[in-house]
C-alpha cells in the first residue's frame, strides 16, 4: 500500500517546496509519504518535472457538463449568463468534438509525469442544484453519458495506466447503488479500470452521520454491498466530511449568490476534506484493502499539511 497526498503546484506551494531541505523528495521522506497524486487540470504540462514523484494524476473535472454534451443551449445560458462564459468554462470548446479534443490534451498533459493511474470524476451538478439538490439528471443518465465520453477518448489512454473512477454525492457514481456501479463498468470499453473511493464524498451521501466511527462503519457497509465490485477499489481518497448538520440547517436559503466564490464556499462546507483524528482507520484499511491511500486534504501551507499527514497516517494502523 502506497501513501500519497494531493498536490497542485500553485506558486505558494512551489515556493515552500523549493525552500524545503531536499525539495519535494525531502518533503515526502520527512512525512513518510511514497509520492504525490498530482492535479493536472490544464492542457499543458507543468514547468517542474514531477515524473519521479507523481504516482497518479487527477484529470480535469467539469462539475457542470451534461447540458453541454446534450447541446442544451438554453440551460447553458441560464447557468452561465453569456455564451462567452460557456466558452471559457469549456476551455474554448464549442461542441462535443472540440471538448473531447480538450480532454485528450488534458490526458496528454497528465501522461507527461508517467502516472500509474488517472482519477476520473463521475458526477454532474448545475449551478442551481448545488443548493437545491433537485437534480435534473439521474445517476443512470450521468453514468451513460460518462461512458460515451470515456469510450470516445479511451484510445488516448495507454493500457498500462489504470483509470480509477471516483464517487461523489451528486448524480452519477455515488457507490450507494451497486446496479449503477455495474452499469458503469459494463459500459466502459477499457480493461484497466477501477474505483477511487473518496471517503468524504461517500460520507456526504449520509447526512445522519455524526462522528468518525459512524463514518467508517458506513463506508465499510457500502463497500461490502458492492459484491464483486468491491475488488475494483484500487485507491482511496482519505478525508473526513461530517456535513450533515450544515445540510440539515440549510442556512444558505434566501442568501444564494451564484458567484464562483459563494458556490465554492458552499461546496467546501459540504465536502470538508478534513483529516481523521480518531482511531478506526485500521478497520477501514482492512475492509477496503487499497493499493493507494491518498491523503486528500484542504491545506493552505505545506507546513500545515505536514501536521495533518502526521495525524492521519498514524491512524491507519489503529
Amino acid at each position: 500500500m502506497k501513501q500519497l497526498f494531493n498536490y497542485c503546484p500553485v506558486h505558494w506551494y512551489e515556493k515552500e517546496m523549493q525552500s524545503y531541505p531536499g525539495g519535494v523528495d525531502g518533503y515526502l521522506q520527512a512525512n513518510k509519504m511514497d509520492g504525490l497524486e498530482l492535479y493536472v487540470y490544464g492542457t499543458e504540462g507543468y514547468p517542474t518535472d514531477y515524473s519521479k514523484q507523481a504516482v497518479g494524476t487527477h484529470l480535469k473535472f467539469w462539475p457542470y457538463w451534461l447540458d453541454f454534451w446534450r447541446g442544451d443551449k438554453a440551460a447553458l445560458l441560464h447557468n452561465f449568463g453569456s455564451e462567452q462564459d460557456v466558452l471559457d468554462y469549456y476551455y474554448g470548446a464549442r461542441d462535443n468534438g472540440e471538448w473531447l479534443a480538450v480532454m485528450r490534451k488534458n490526458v496528454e498533459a497528465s501522461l507527461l509525469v508517467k502516472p500509474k493511474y488517472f482519477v476520473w470524476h463521475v458526477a454532474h451538478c448545475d449551478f442551481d442544484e448545488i443548493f437545491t439538490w433537485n437534480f435534473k439528471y439521474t445517476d443512470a443518465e450521468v453514468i451513460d453519458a460518462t461512458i460515451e465520453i470515456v469510450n470516445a477518448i479511451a484510445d488516448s489512454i495507454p493500457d498500462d495506466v489504470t483509470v480509477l473512477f471516483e464517487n461523489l454525492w451528486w448524480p452519477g457514481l455515488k457507490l450507494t447503488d451497486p446496479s449503477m456501479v455495474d452499469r458503469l463498468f459494463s459500459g466502459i470499453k477499457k480493461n484497466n479500470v477501477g474505483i477511487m473511493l473518496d471517503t468524504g464524498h461517500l460520507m456526504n451521501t449520509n447526512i445522519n452521520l455524526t462522528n468518525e466511527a459512524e463514518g467508517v462503519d458506513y463506508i465499510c457497509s457500502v463497500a461490502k454491498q458492492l459484491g464483486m465490485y468491491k475488488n475494483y477499489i484500487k485507491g482511496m481518497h482519505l478525508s473526513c466530511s461530517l456535513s450533515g448538520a450544515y445540510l440539515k440547517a440549510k442556512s444558505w436559503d434566501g442568501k444564494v449568490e451564484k458567484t464562483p466564490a459563494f458556490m465554492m464556499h458552499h461546496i467546501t462546507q459540504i465536502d470538508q476534506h478534513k483529516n481523521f483524528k480518531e482511531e478506526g482507520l485500521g478497520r477501514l484499511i482492512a475492509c477496503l484493502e487499497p493499493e493507494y491511500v491518498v491523503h486528500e486534504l484542504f491545506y493552505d501551507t505545506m507546513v500545515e499539511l505536514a501536521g495533518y499527514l502526521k495525524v492521519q497516517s498514524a491512524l491507519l494502523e489503529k
Side-chain angles (χ1 to χ4, degrees):
M1 184 182 78
K2 292 184 180 296
Q3 291 193 59
L4 319 173
F5 66 86
N6 58 303
Y7 185 71
C8 184
V10 292
H11 66 87
W12 58 92
Y13 292 163
E14 289 286 84
K15 186 176 180 180
E16 277 192 83
M17 281 295 202
Q18 290 167 6
S19 63
Y20 198 89
V24 178
D25 291 330
Y27 188 89
L28 290 170
Q29 184 176 7
N31 291 285
K32 300 178 181 179
M33 294 288 116
D34 298 300
L36 309 173
E37 182 177 286
L38 192 69
Y39 290 177
V40 182
Y41 285 179
T43 55
E44 297 181 359
Y46 291 117
T48 303
D49 180 11
Y50 287 101
S51 57
K52 292 181 179 179
Q53 298 89 11
V55 178
T57 60
H58 200 305
L59 297 176
K60 167 65 180 174
F61 170 54
W62 289 264
Y64 172 54
W65 59 273
L66 193 44
D67 285 334
F68 183 87
W69 186 248
R70 291 188 168 190
D72 190 336
K73 294 183 178 180
L76 289 168
L77 285 175
H78 170 75
N79 278 271
F80 288 104
S82 75
E83 292 183 359
Q84 185 60 50
D85 286 343
V86 175
L87 199 64
D88 292 343
Y89 186 76
Y90 295 103
Y91 287 25
R94 292 178 171 81
D95 55 37
N96 289 352
E98 291 184 358
W99 192 39
L100 290 174
V102 170
M103 292 184 198
R104 288 179 183 274
K105 289 181 180 179
N106 180 231
V107 166
E108 291 171 4
S110 296
L111 289 173
L112 293 174
V113 298
K114 302 178 177 63
K116 295 185 180 297
Y117 70 81
F118 287 158
V119 177
W120 190 308
H121 278 185
V122 184
H124 166 89
C125 187
D126 75 21
F127 301 158
D128 293 318
E129 295 166 347
I130 289 172
F131 302 100
T132 66
W133 287 49
N134 295 321
F135 298 110
K136 176 180 177 180
Y137 296 113
T138 64
D139 291 344
E141 288 174 310
V142 175
I143 286 171
D144 289 349
T146 299
I147 290 169
E148 292 173 5
I149 292 170
V150 174
N151 289 342
I153 69 166
D155 59 350
S156 298
I157 303 172
D159 291 339
D160 62 350
V161 177
T162 308
V163 179
L164 300 180
F165 295 99
E166 181 177 349
N167 58 296
L168 276 87
W169 65 98
W170 293 329
L173 183 67
K174 300 192 191 93
L175 297 181
T176 52
D177 183 347
S179 71
M180 290 297 104
V181 180
D182 178 71
R183 190 184 190 103
L184 174 67
F185 288 109
S186 294
I188 297 294
K189 296 178 181 178
K190 181 173 173 55
N191 294 324
N192 194 2
V193 295
I195 295 169
M196 176 62 78
L197 188 151
D198 189 296
T199 59
H201 293 174
L202 189 50
M203 292 169 75
N204 290 339
T205 66
N206 185 346
I207 63 173
N208 294 316
L209 299 176
T210 60
N211 58 57
E212 293 183 14
E214 290 177 356
V216 170
D217 287 342
Y218 177 66
I219 294 164
C220 288
S221 68
V222 170
K224 289 175 182 176
Q225 291 172 6
L226 295 179
M228 72 173 192
Y229 288 113
K230 179 177 176 291
N231 298 323
Y232 277 52
I233 300 171
K234 306 299 182 185
M236 176 171 66
H237 279 173
L238 184 60
S239 71
C240 180
S241 186
L242 292 167
S243 55
Y246 175 78
L247 287 168
K248 289 177 180 179
K250 293 187 177 181
S251 59
W252 62 87
D253 276 357
K255 304 175 185 177
V256 171
E257 299 174 18
K258 285 196 288 185
T259 62
F262 191 91
M263 288 189 288
M264 182 56 67
H265 173 76
H266 174 65
I267 291 170
T268 55
Q269 293 300 304
I270 300 170
D271 191 23
Q272 298 169 342
H273 284 274
K274 295 180 179 179
N275 64 297
F276 279 88
K277 300 174 184 177
E278 301 171 6
E279 295 184 5
L281 293 185
R283 185 158 50 89
L284 188 60
I285 295 297
C287 170
L288 301 181
E289 300 180 289
E291 295 177 31
Y292 310 107
V293 173
V294 185
H295 300 272
E296 194 182 49
L297 306 167
F298 287 155
Y299 56 95
D300 292 325
T301 69
M302 302 311 299
V303 172
E304 180 184 18
L305 175 62
Y308 296 153
L309 293 175
K310 181 178 180 180
V311 172
Q312 190 160 270
S313 61
L315 292 173
L316 294 180
E317 298 179 358
K318 297 181 179 181

